[in-house]
Amino acid sequence: MSGPVLILGAGGQVGQATRDALVQAGRAVVGLDRGELDVTDEAALDAAFRRLRPAVVINAAAYTAVDRAEAEPEAAQAVNGRAPGLVAAAARLHGAALIHLSTDYVFDGRKGAPYDEADPAAPLSVYGRSKRAGEEAVLRSGAAGAVVRTSWLLGAGGFVDAVLSRAQAGEPLRIVEDQKGRPTLVGDLAQALAALAQAQRLPCPARLYHYAGAADATWLALARALVDAWSERTGAVPPALTGIAADAWAAAASRPLDSRLDSARIAADFGLSGRDWRDAVADLVEAWLKKEQRR
């Protein structure tokens, strides 16, 4: 590989962690965030590819506001649905492989078992439909690479921050208890993406993969484990924690009740597998506390 790895959406938690993983591996990497490159601008993409000449592109750029997308379908479709096709076309034109990130929200959650790559997509939300459109654009582009669906990301931000911030403030927590998934540690996903970017050969045309953690969970089980570990670490009294049904949350966007992903294909092709989220709870709490200290 003569060119660098180009990360689009490098300002997000996955983009930042993947850049760190590649740097630690000694790989040349360039990260561009939303302010540095508009992925919906075909001419800007072409200019960036001509200037940087990447060997591999990791597209972590996305419209991730799941509920707001219901009121902003055009914005979600522009970034999640159309832009991946533009990135894939640029990658193919300039001889780069593409690793594109997608989501478990392309499924309706009604299978009753973990989803594999052969299962039909049936998204329930604007966000899910936009992400599915992006997948399809990449897969039909002819570009080499991989579309990687992942789920329930756990890092120092997102769900972890939402739960522990309220716990620290002494606020009671109402957490959805009837949604099931396989939580994926951001650091594990970053290492997997870095490994794919450094693979000797990626499929051509691009192939669909699932990458998620090794253990099932509900949001309530996750929250309880985080709060218990935080309480033990800090000595603070844990807040009241109540489980509620997803319907009671009354979110704007519908979410799949069971979006567990089967990651056997990526394990077979590349030897990549996620960890059990329970093994990392203490580390997640510690990372959140350090983040709080820097604020």
Side-chain angles (χ1 to χ4, degrees):
M1 295 182 184
S2 57
V5 177
L6 172 60
I7 301 176
L8 304 178
Q13 63 173 346
V14 173
Q16 291 177 16
T18 305
R19 184 174 187 169
D20 290 346
L22 286 162
V23 169
Q24 289 170 6
R27 188 73 173 86
V29 56
V30 177
L32 298 177
D33 63 23
R34 180 172 53 188
E36 295 169 311
L37 179 63
D38 179 358
V39 294
T40 68
D41 186 330
E42 186 174 5
L45 281 168
D46 184 68
F49 274 76
R50 289 182 184 280
R51 174 169 55 90
L52 298 170
R53 301 190 178 278
V56 181
V57 181
I58 298 174
N59 184 28
Y63 179 109
T64 58
V66 175
D67 290 318
R68 193 166 70 232
E70 296 297 311
E72 298 178 354
E74 292 182 2
Q77 179 65 16
V79 178
N80 295 343
R82 289 192 295 274
L86 299 179
V87 174
R92 184 178 183 188
L93 177 64
H94 295 283
L98 172 61
I99 301 167
H100 173 70
L101 278 179
S102 193
T103 175
D104 57 324
Y105 280 28
V106 300
F107 296 115
D108 62 15
R110 295 172 184 149
K111 181 181 178 181
Y115 286 93
D116 63 34
E117 293 84 353
D119 286 317
L124 301 174
S125 63
V126 167
Y127 169 77
R129 289 190 289 275
S130 71
K131 292 296 288 184
R132 178 55 182 162
E135 291 181 354
E136 292 173 327
V138 172
L139 293 170
R140 68 172 175 259
S141 71
V147 172
V148 181
R149 289 174 179 153
T150 192
S151 65
W152 290 39
L153 292 178
L154 294 180
F159 181 77
V160 173
D161 181 58
V163 168
L164 295 184
S165 292
R166 294 190 65 180
Q168 184 167 268
E171 300 176 9
L173 290 162
R174 298 171 69 246
I175 306 293
V176 172
E177 63 180 345
D178 59 350
Q179 287 177 347
K180 185 186 296 184
R182 286 187 171 164
T184 308
L185 300 166
V186 169
D188 286 3
L189 176 61
Q191 291 291 337
L193 295 175
L196 288 174
Q198 297 175 95
Q200 287 294 103
R201 183 175 299 172
L202 289 170
C204 188
R207 194 178 193 201
L208 183 61
Y209 291 98
H210 291 174
Y211 181 87
D216 300 351
T218 64
W219 291 118
L220 180 62
L222 271 174
R224 182 170 288 123
L226 288 165
V227 167
D228 288 347
W230 166 81
S231 177
E232 182 177 348
R233 169 65 175 79
T234 63
V237 176
L241 191 58
T242 305
I244 63 170
D247 287 346
W249 189 251
S254 296
R255 290 156 168 80
L257 285 180
D258 182 352
S259 62
R260 290 172 293 162
L261 298 179
D262 182 327
S263 305
R265 176 184 284 182
I266 202 167
D269 285 6
F270 295 100
L272 299 173
S273 57
R275 286 181 292 162
D276 185 322
W277 62 270
R278 293 167 294 192
D279 295 336
V281 170
D283 291 339
L284 289 168
V285 170
E286 200 64 37
W288 182 81
L289 289 170
K290 288 180 180 177
K291 180 182 174 183
E292 283 297 292
Q293 290 173 355
R294 292 194 297 268
R295 284 184 178 177

